[in-house]
Amino acid sequence: MEPLSPEAVLVINQKISLPLLEKKKVELYIKREDLIHPQISGNKYRKLKYNLLEAKKLKYDTLLTFGGAYSNHIAATAYAGKLNKMQTIGVIRGEELANIWTDNPTLSAAHQQGMKLKFVSRTDYREKETTAFIDKLKIEFGDFYMVPEGGTNKLAVKGCEEILTAKDEVYDIICCSVGTGGTLAGLINSAAPNQRVLGFPALKGDFLKKDICKFVENGDWDLCTDYHFGGYARVDESLVSFINEMHQNTGIPLDPVYTGKMMYGLLDMITNNFFNPGTKILAIHTGGLQGIAGINLYLKSKKLPIIDI
Ligand SMILES: *Cc1c(COP(=O)(O)O)cnc(C)c1O
């Protein structure tokens, strides 16, 4: 993805020190993919990279994709489109947003980058992958390169295979947060034979394993399904205070939809002796920090504590 060239992406693995890790003799590092770009962060950069190259190769000048009100993928596509001089269209779940989207930090930032926003009902949104729905979009907007919801397809998985490098072979366990599973699939495909890959789903759903298997051949991997906090984008006070404590204790900001839940789950498993002493863990910080502002507005409206940025 130009001008964010792959060479420009120098990602560090940051060592975390916490009393818990010392007590359990477990080493934890965080791969700071969140630092790739403030808006095209972490895995969304990886997932768009080869899709953008493909769209250009096929001579498309417009990208169309789908997402919800806080979507990191919508934000990333809007910014990446602008940087690559391509038009972008975001099909957004929820008609009610049509009147209030200017108050939504993610959607107004996407619009500022030139993204056209089309709001559709939840019923229509469920039909978004049907030919009838896509044909209607083509009549309205002209031809476009379609990136699926969450950005996951074969080319996205290929991009996520570049997250791990040869230097990362020293780790025993690789962890990441899971939405559609595209990122996890890339990690599974590129992990070394001695490594185990653990995914932490941010939503309830038994479909995930099957979806992931579409993109992976084999590999040692599993899902840790106890840490979705009630479902996608569900946030409670304990998660908010965990995120704020982690930020204070380690300097690392986490988002409430994905990486916060993964780290909560991972530290809970460490507390419960899931890992042997001496285990070296690498957790992928997949980014997503742009979504915090929107979630904080929601938390404020519910008079709940907010995430310190
Ligand atoms: C989108 C996203 C994920 C989920 O990635 P999938 O490839 O859909 O599983 C994880 N973390 C962050 C920060 C994200 O924005």
Side-chain angles (χ1 to χ4, degrees), residues 41 43-44 47 72-73 150 152 160 176-184 255 258-259 285-289:
S41 66
N43 65 346
K44 299 309 184 282
K47 293 168 95 170
N72 297 323
H73 171 64
T152 290
C160 292
C176 85
S177 173
V178 174
T180 62
T183 308
L184 186 71
D255 85 293
Y258 294 106
T259 55
H285 194 317
T286 38
L289 302 174

Side-chain angles (χ1 to χ4, degrees), residues 39-161:
Q39 308 287 337
I40 315 170
S41 66
N43 65 346
K44 299 309 184 282
Y45 166 80
R46 303 286 181 184
K47 293 168 95 170
L48 282 169
K49 180 182 161 189
Y50 288 107
N51 276 293
L52 278 163
L53 288 173
E54 180 74 2
K56 283 184 184 177
K57 196 174 97 191
L58 299 174
K59 306 249 184 294
Y60 284 97
D61 58 11
T62 303
L63 303 170
L64 179 140
T65 197
F66 310 92
Y70 306 115
S71 169
N72 297 323
H73 171 64
I74 287 288
T77 306
Y79 279 82
K82 175 93 182 275
L83 283 174
N84 287 275
K85 301 192 174 50
M86 297 183 84
Q87 307 284 330
T88 53
I89 300 158
V91 177
I92 309 297
R93 180 182 58 231
E95 280 167 316
E96 74 282 1
L97 292 164
N99 303 317
I100 53 169
W101 67 268
T102 48
D103 296 332
N104 174 294
T106 299
L107 298 177
S108 46
H111 178 78
Q112 258 173 26
Q113 300 306 305
M115 181 177 259
K116 283 186 203 157
L117 301 173
K118 179 177 171 68
F119 298 93
V120 301
S121 69
R122 283 168 171 74
T123 320
D124 281 354
Y125 193 82
R126 254 175 258 128
E127 302 292 312
K128 65 186 176 303
E129 262 141 46
T130 62
T131 323
F133 188 79
I134 291 163
D135 284 349
K136 266 199 243 160
L137 290 173
K138 288 198 171 156
I139 292 168
E140 186 172 348
F141 296 108
D143 205 7
F144 48 74
Y145 181 88
M146 191 175 86
V147 184
E149 180 181 35
T152 290
N153 57 15
K154 246 184 131 150
L155 290 173
V157 172
K158 178 177 167 182
C160 292
E161 288 169 7

Side-chain angles (χ1 to χ4, degrees), residues 1 13 33 51 59 83 170 215 229 274 279:
M1 197 194 297
N13 295 344
E33 296 261 313
N51 276 293
K59 306 249 184 294
L83 283 174
V170 294
F215 296 108
F229 284 79
F274 186 87
T279 305

Side-chain angles (χ1 to χ4, degrees), residues 17-53:
S17 18
L18 289 171
L20 171 71
L21 300 171
E22 248 168 67
K23 185 171 147 210
K24 301 288 182 181
K25 299 197 169 36
V26 166
E27 282 184 49
L28 174 60
Y29 289 75
I30 297 190
K31 190 178 271 298
R32 298 294 305 271
E33 296 261 313
D34 56 311
L35 299 175
I36 289 177
H37 187 278
Q39 308 287 337
I40 315 170
S41 66
N43 65 346
K44 299 309 184 282
Y45 166 80
R46 303 286 181 184
K47 293 168 95 170
L48 282 169
K49 180 182 161 189
Y50 288 107
N51 276 293
L52 278 163
L53 288 173

Side-chain angles (χ1 to χ4, degrees), residues 13 27-29 31 160 163-165 167-178 183-184 186-192 194-200 220-224 262 266 275 279-285:
N13 295 344
E27 282 184 49
L28 174 60
Y29 289 75
K31 190 178 271 298
C160 292
I163 295 173
L164 293 177
T165 68
K167 283 192 186 144
D168 296 326
E169 284 181 20
V170 294
Y171 301 99
D172 306 300
I173 304 281
I174 311 292
C175 296
C176 85
S177 173
V178 174
T183 308
L184 186 71
L187 293 171
I188 293 167
N189 289 342
S190 57
N194 60 304
Q195 292 178 318
R196 183 167 170 72
V197 184
L198 297 177
F200 292 77
D220 182 8
W221 64 280
D222 207 350
L223 296 178
C224 308
M262 170 192 68
L266 183 56
F275 303 103
T279 305
K280 283 182 92 154
I281 303 173
L282 179 65
I284 312 300
H285 194 317

